Every structure is written in structure tokens, then in C-alpha cells.
């Protein structure tokens, strides 16, 4: 399998190189130049495997410079029962939880719970395995320098990356998060991070500022030279790294197999997939699964008040020149969704030839004017494959309350956005296809918003409302969140948005 840059500047690369480097030299995103195909026999083989086995199988289709033994070992370690389990379940004797779980609500809503990992958000699904893939990639390309992972986070990636990379030999990790753009739980999770190779710093700005700052550091040659003289180099654990995206393709295929085996659908039946979307990584993984052969009707892209993607999909015009809102679903408070670039690559042509020139010029226009427009035929096929909708904080809250009271099921603020947009979609179109809705975080991670939704009372702080939420709902607090208040804070620093470069060396 050949990896290329979406902007056409590099080609003929192997996956280890793409994963080790993170971002292409021309600032494009490394992507397989064509997608592997899933046949019926592949589904049949995977049907009897556990989650780790399915992950090794699918990753093997993308990472063909890794051996099946390597991938088998990494997926077993990453998706172990010790790391992924339901809240309240003891470590020992826990029923097998295959990384994810599915809960059916209503007539045809299948909530795919992706948040049972160590940081209670779906980012663990990729970031538990990325350190294995990355360190192996460095060995494979003969890279001996220390890799310094640089992360901009809207809250959940930061913690999941810190947890995945902590004390991993040959790696260091630095995380920047928007000072006022993450929840108290997210902030404390990062500020209390343990490990000898980790650094965390707040940025006085929003997520886009942090992401832009990180991208600037990546393309700064002076920084690269200085790091090189210290036997170090930078790489990325954001979803611009292909090693983040490939593992996410797995759970959509695995969910389908689980729905077939539970008798909810028959093999070959179509499903829809609805995803609460921010940087467009998670829904792109679903799209890739669909392109590989997973029978998907519609991809439903759910946004909060930051609805740049809703407008993009409905009109074909991407325009980030608009107000930025802070919402109850902060991990989706994003106006520049990086992974749309990979979608443009795949949509600009057929599986045999793609138009990198188009991608490069759209991205240049986005960088210069904050805007680009799709040609009409592309805009049309985008609308055919995707449905897009958005939902404000009031609707987010009423959806949480409705699902809790009518389905006896607790969802977080991000998942609620997806449920609401899916229900709007079902009403508008009358489509009765069973729909997988990605549930991206535990409700306890965003407990203030969830408690407000359930009780109508305002809670200042997520930390104080965790116990209240547990009492109100009778549900156990996930292990990783229950002891959080008692951990000691290690990282208190914060910088102006143009000062990120200066603090980098102290972090790594
Ligand atoms: C990261 C995140 C999202 C958005 O996912 P993308 O892959 O960036 O679109 C949604 N919900 C939660 C809880 C997240 O942490």
C-alpha cells in the first residue's frame, strides 16, 4: 500500500514513514493512495474474532509493512480487559468488553459506546494503540532520535495521548490546550498527568489558536534544526496522523459484525452512521469503512452551534469566517476541521486517480481567505453521501433529559448532539435504516452540563457535579474519573497564543 500527501508533494511512502512523520512536508495529510476492499470472506473471518483480533485484521490491510504478529501483539495490549471496562465493573472477573459496547434505544438507534477506555472518551480507541504503532514505525524507518509528540487538544485528545505515551521509551509528549475551552474535568485530568516524559501547557485562546500554533511549530525550520541537534524531532498524535485514523475504522466494522451476530440486522443490510463531529476524524473513519465495503446508507454529520460543517455539507462552501461559540460540547468547538482535507482527496476522483492539485488549492484558499468552494458535482456527491445537521445547547440538554427519562439511558453532551441530529434526520427523511450513533464520551466527563440538563439546576464545576450525577442516576462513576479530585496538580503553566514556541523546549 502506498501513502501519499493529500497535496501531492510526496508519494510512494510506506505506512511506517507516514505514521512516524505525522504531517507531510507540503503540510498535506498522509493518506493511502487507494483504499483496501472488504469482501464477504473478510467479514466471515472477522465474525468470530474478538475486538483485538478484528483490529489486527483491519490494520493489516492498511499497514502492510507491519507483520500480523506485530499487529496481533499491539492490539492485544492496547485493547485489553484491564484498560477497557464498564464503570463499576471490577478489574477481575469483568465480563469481556471488547473495547466497545452497543446499546439499543428507541426503534433503531444503536449507541456505539466508545468511551470505556482509560480517559473516558473515544480518543482512547486510537491513542491506546498509537504509541505501539509509532515506536515500531521509528524502528522500521531506522529513526534513532527521540520523537517529541506535539498535541493541540480540545480536551480529550490531550489526556488520551498523555495516557497512551506516558513513560513510553524513546518518546516525549507536549500538550497545549485552550485555557478557557476545556471542561474542569478535562483540565484536571491533564494537569495531574503522571509520567517522566510529559508536559502540559494552557494557551490563552481557543482550540483553533492552539492548533494553529502547533502547526506553526511543525513548519518552523529553526525549531526543527535545534531539536535535531538534541537528537529529537517532532511528530503528531492529532488525527492528522494516519496512525490515529486507521484504528478508528475498526470499530465501525466491528459494530456491524456485532449487530449481525445479535440478529439486529442481517449480513448485507445497510446501516447509517451518525457521528458528533469536531475535527472530522471520527466520521472520516466511518466514511473510509464505507468506501472499503461496509454497507452504509448515509453518514450523518452532527455539529453543535459551531456549524461550519453543516453549512459545508449543505452548500459546498467551507467558510470559517464566523463567530466561534463555547458550547456544552467543547470537544466539538472547532471551526477548522483538519480531516476534511482527506475527504476532499477521496472525493476528488475515483479510487484510481485523485486530484491533489484541487486539494492543495482548496487548502491554500482556506489558509488565506478562510474559505473555499467545491465544484458543483463534488458538492452534489457530498450531499448524497452525507447528511448534516446542528443542534444548540438547549436542544442538547433536552435530548439528554429525554433519553434518560424515556430510555433510562445516560448520554453525554456530545452524544446528545448526535442523537438530536439523527432524530431530525429521521423526521425529515422518513429513513428507517438502523443507525449507529457514535457515543464519544462518558456523561461523567461533562457532568455539569448533564446535571443541568437532568435537573434544571446550574452547576459551576464538572468536578463537583460528578458525585451528584452518580447519586441522581444511580450509575457508577468510571474508575479513571472517581479519584481525580485527590490527585496532585503538576502542570499550572499558561502562555499567550503567540508564545507557544518559547515554552516548547521546557515541555519536552
Ligand atoms: C474529539 C471528540 C469529538 C470530535 O471528534 P472528531 O474526530 O474530532 O470529529 C466528539 N466528541 C468527543 C467527546 C471528543 O472527545
Amino acid at each position: 500500500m502506498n501513502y501519499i500527501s493529500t497535496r501531492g508533494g510526496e508519494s510512494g511512502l510506506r505506512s511506517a514513514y507516514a505514521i512516524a512523520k505525522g504531517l507531510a512536508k507540503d503540510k498535506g495529510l498522509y493518506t493511502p493512495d487507494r483504499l483496501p476492499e472488504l469482501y464477504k470472506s473478510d467479514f466471515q473471518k472477522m465474525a468470530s474474532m474478538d475486538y483485538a483480533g478484528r483490529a489486527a485484521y483491519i490494520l493489516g490491510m492498511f499497514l502492510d509493512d507491519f507483520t500480523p504478529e506485530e499487529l496481533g501483539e499491539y492490539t492485544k495490549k492496547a485493547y485489553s480487559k484491564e484498560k477497557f471496562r464498564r464503570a463499576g465493573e471490577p478489574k477481575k472477573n469483568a465480563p469481556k468488553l471488547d473495547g466497545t459496547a452497543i446499546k439499543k434505544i428507541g426503534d433503531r438507534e444503536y449507541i456505539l459506546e466508545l468511551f470505556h477506555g482509560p480517559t473516558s472518551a473515544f480518543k482512547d480507541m486510537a491513542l491506546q494503540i498509537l504509541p505501539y504503532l509509532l515506536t515500531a514505525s521509528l524502528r522500521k524507518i531506522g529513526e534513532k532520535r527521540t520523537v517529541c509528540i506535539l498535541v493541540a487538544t480540545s480536551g480529550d485528545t490531550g489526556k488520551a495521548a498523555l495516557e497512551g505515551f506516558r513513560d513510553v521509551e524513546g518518546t516525549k509528549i507536549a500538550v497545549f490546550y485552550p485555557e478557557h475551552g476545556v471542561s474542569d474535568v478535562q483540565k484536571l485530568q491533564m494537569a495531574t498527568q503522571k509520567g517522566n516524559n510529559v508536559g502540559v501547557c494552557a494557551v490563552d485562546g481557543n482550540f483553533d489558536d492552539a492548533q494553529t500554533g502547533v502547526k506553526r511549530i511543525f513548519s518552523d525550520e529553526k525549531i526543527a534544526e535545534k531539536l535535531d541537534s538534541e537528537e529529537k524531532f517532532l511528530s503528531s498524535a492529532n488525527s492528522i496522523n494516519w496512525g490515529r485514523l486507521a484504528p478508528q475504522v475498526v470499530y465501525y466494522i466491528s459494530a456491524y459484525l456485532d449487530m449481525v451476530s445479535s440478529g439486529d440486522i442481517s449480513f448485507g443490510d445497510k446501516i447509517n452512521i451518525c457521528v458528533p463531529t469536531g475535527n472530522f476524524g471520527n466520521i472520516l473513519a466511518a466514511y473510509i469503512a464505507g468506501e472499503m465495503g461496509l454497507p452504509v446508507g448515509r453518514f450523518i454529520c452532527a455539529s453543535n452551534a459551531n456549524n461550519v460543517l453543516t453549512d459545508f455539507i449543505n452548500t459546498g462552501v467551507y467558510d470559517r469566517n464566523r463567530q466561534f461559540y463555547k458550547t456544552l460540547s467543547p470537544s466539538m468547538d472547532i471551526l477548522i476541521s483538519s480531516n476534511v482535507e482527506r475527504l476532499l482527496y477521496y472525493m476528488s476522483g475515483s479510487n484510481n486517480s485523485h486530484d491533489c492539485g484541487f486539494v492543495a488549492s482548496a487548502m491554500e484558499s482556506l489558509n488565506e481567505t478562510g474559505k473555499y468552494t467545491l465544484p458543483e458535482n463534488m458538492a452534489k456527491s457530498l450531499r448524497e453521501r452525507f447528511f448534516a445537521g446542528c443542534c444548540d445547547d438547549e436542544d442538547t440538554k433536552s435530548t439528554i433529559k429525554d433519553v434518560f427519562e424515556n430510555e433510562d439511558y445516560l448520554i453525554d453532551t456530545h452524544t446528545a448532539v448526535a442523537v438530536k441530529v439523527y432524530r431530525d434526520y429521521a423526521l425529515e427523511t422518513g429513513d428507517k435504516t438502523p443507525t449507529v450513533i457514535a457515543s464519544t464520551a462518558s456523561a461523567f466527563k461533562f457532568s455539569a452540563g448533564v446535571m443541568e440538563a437532568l435537573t434544571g439546576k446550574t452547576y459551576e464545576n464538572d468536578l463537583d457535579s460528578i458525585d451528584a450525577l452518580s447519586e441522581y442516576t444511580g450509575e457508577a462513576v468510571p474508575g479513571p474519573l472517581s479519584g481525580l479530585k485527590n490527585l496532585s496538580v503538576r502542570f499550572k503553566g499558561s502562555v499567550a497564543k503567540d508564545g507557544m514556541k518559547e515554552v516548547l523546549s521546557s515541555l519536552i
Side-chain angles (χ1 to χ4, degrees):
M1 176 149 291
N2 278 320
Y3 285 75
I4 48 95
S5 163
T6 44
R7 300 190 194 178
E10 289 174 83
S11 61
L13 308 168
R14 53 191 178 134
S15 76
Y17 184 89
I19 293 171
K21 299 293 175 190
L23 187 66
K25 288 180 196 131
D26 61 0
K27 303 199 186 110
L29 307 186
Y30 290 126
T31 302
D33 64 352
R34 58 162 71 198
L35 296 173
E37 267 177 73
L38 283 169
Y39 297 98
K40 189 167 184 190
S41 58
D42 295 309
F43 286 102
Q44 282 165 341
K45 278 183 217 153
M46 282 188 283
S48 59
M49 295 178 184
D50 63 6
Y51 190 85
R54 290 172 183 174
Y57 192 93
I58 292 159
L59 288 175
M61 300 175 91
F62 288 104
L63 315 180
D64 56 2
D65 45 344
F66 287 69
T67 66
E69 291 71 31
E70 285 174 317
L71 294 174
E73 182 199 326
Y74 307 157
T75 54
K76 258 204 200 86
K77 285 182 180 159
Y79 302 114
S80 70
K81 207 161 86 173
E82 283 67 40
K83 289 187 167 156
F84 288 84
R85 60 177 193 279
R86 285 195 188 83
E89 278 175 356
K91 251 187 210 177
K92 279 191 193 141
N93 309 324
K96 197 171 98 225
L97 177 63
D98 265 348
T100 64
I102 298 178
K103 162 86 184 169
K104 185 178 180 202
I105 62 171
D107 289 336
R108 56 188 79 87
E109 299 165 342
Y110 293 82
I111 310 287
L112 177 57
E113 297 179 350
L114 300 169
F115 54 78
H116 295 294
T119 74
S120 304
F122 89 98
K123 305 291 198 295
D124 290 324
M125 297 306 298
L127 281 160
Q128 279 298 310
I129 191 160
L130 183 65
Y132 295 106
L133 299 177
L134 183 69
T135 49
S137 296
L138 299 178
R139 282 197 303 276
K140 284 177 195 292
I141 67 167
E143 178 61 72
K144 300 228 164 49
R145 296 173 296 174
T146 300
V147 61
C148 300
I149 305 294
L150 192 54
V151 176
T153 183
S154 57
D156 292 327
T157 297
K159 178 62 183 181
L162 289 162
E163 199 53 41
F165 279 97
R166 84 174 209 211
D167 295 326
V168 172
E169 217 175 300
T171 75
K172 287 180 181 285
I173 172 162
V175 171
F176 289 100
Y177 69 86
E179 171 106 65
H180 305 289
V182 301
S183 78
D184 310 297
V185 170
Q186 291 174 320
K187 193 180 282 191
L188 196 59
Q189 276 187 314
M190 291 187 276
T192 57
Q193 178 64 43
K194 298 191 173 107
N196 290 319
N197 61 341
V198 302
V200 176
C201 185
V203 177
D204 188 11
N206 60 33
F207 170 72
D208 290 309
D209 296 322
Q211 180 160 260
T212 304
V214 159
K215 282 188 181 159
R216 283 216 187 100
I217 293 175
F218 268 116
S219 55
D220 188 317
E221 284 173 20
K222 281 214 192 93
I223 294 180
E225 276 167 31
K226 176 161 178 290
L227 288 174
D228 188 50
S229 72
E230 302 165 359
E231 293 287 301
K232 292 178 188 160
F233 77 104
L234 292 173
S235 188
S236 164
N238 279 97
S239 55
I240 55 173
N241 191 316
W242 179 252
R244 264 284 298 277
L245 220 51
Q248 297 186 342
V249 175
V250 177
Y251 46 73
Y252 292 111
I253 297 167
S254 181
Y256 188 87
L257 290 167
D258 288 343
M259 287 166 72
V260 171
S261 83
S262 63
D264 285 301
I265 54 172
S266 307
F267 183 78
D269 287 354
K270 278 194 177 166
I271 56 168
N272 295 323
I273 297 178
C274 177
V275 184
T277 296
N279 220 5
F280 211 76
N282 202 5
I283 195 166
L284 184 79
Y287 173 79
I288 289 173
E291 290 293 287
M292 290 169 73
L294 188 72
V296 182
R298 217 67 187 285
F299 301 94
I300 300 164
C301 177
S303 301
N304 61 26
N306 296 295
N307 57 1
V308 61
L309 290 167
T310 314
D311 291 346
F312 171 60
I313 290 169
N314 289 328
T315 66
V317 179
Y318 196 105
D319 187 357
R320 63 144 306 182
N321 304 302
R322 60 180 71 210
Q323 198 182 335
F324 177 87
Y325 298 99
K326 280 179 53 172
T327 73
L328 289 176
S329 41
S331 300
M332 296 153 66
D333 290 347
I334 293 177
L335 292 180
I336 305 177
S337 302
S338 304
N339 269 297
V340 171
E341 178 164 352
R342 286 191 169 103
L343 178 72
L344 295 186
Y345 171 81
Y346 288 119
M347 294 202 76
S348 72
S350 67
N351 209 7
N352 295 316
S353 82
H354 298 278
D355 190 349
C356 295
F358 167 74
V359 180
S361 69
M363 290 301 114
E364 194 181 302
S365 165
L366 180 65
N367 192 31
E368 278 164 12
T369 66
K371 194 173 161 177
Y372 61 85
T373 302
L374 297 182
E376 189 41 46
N377 61 341
M378 225 170 130
K380 185 163 166 278
S381 43
L382 183 65
R383 281 193 299 272
E384 279 163 12
R385 293 302 278 138
F386 288 81
F387 174 92
C390 57
C391 156
D392 62 16
D393 279 351
E394 283 313 308
D395 282 344
T396 304
K397 285 191 281 185
S398 59
T399 304
I400 291 171
K401 190 171 166 73
D402 177 75
V403 170
F404 186 71
E405 288 180 354
N406 294 314
E407 307 287 345
D408 194 19
Y409 183 62
L410 185 61
I411 55 175
D412 93 297
T413 49
H414 303 76
T415 307
V417 169
V419 170
K420 170 72 173 116
V421 169
Y422 165 69
R423 289 178 174 178
D424 289 346
Y425 165 80
L427 266 184
E428 189 180 316
T429 60
D431 185 358
K432 297 203 162 31
T433 309
T435 297
V436 168
I437 299 174
S439 178
T440 47
S442 158
F444 288 93
K445 210 164 178 180
F446 303 94
S447 50
V450 174
M451 272 307 272
E452 198 180 318
L454 294 176
T455 66
K457 283 188 226 141
T458 340
Y459 287 76
E460 279 303 307
N461 191 308
D462 286 316
L463 285 165
D464 301 333
S465 43
I466 285 184
D467 293 336
L469 180 59
S470 178
E471 228 160 79
Y472 187 87
T473 59
E475 291 205 20
V477 180
L481 297 179
S482 61
L484 192 58
K485 268 197 288 193
N486 306 323
L487 299 177
S488 54
V489 172
R490 287 182 70 194
F491 301 102
K492 293 182 179 152
S494 113
V495 285
K497 59 188 177 194
D498 49 10
M500 291 166 59
K501 264 196 226 177
E502 280 68 43
V503 297
L504 180 66
S505 59
S506 70
L507 294 176
I508 53 171

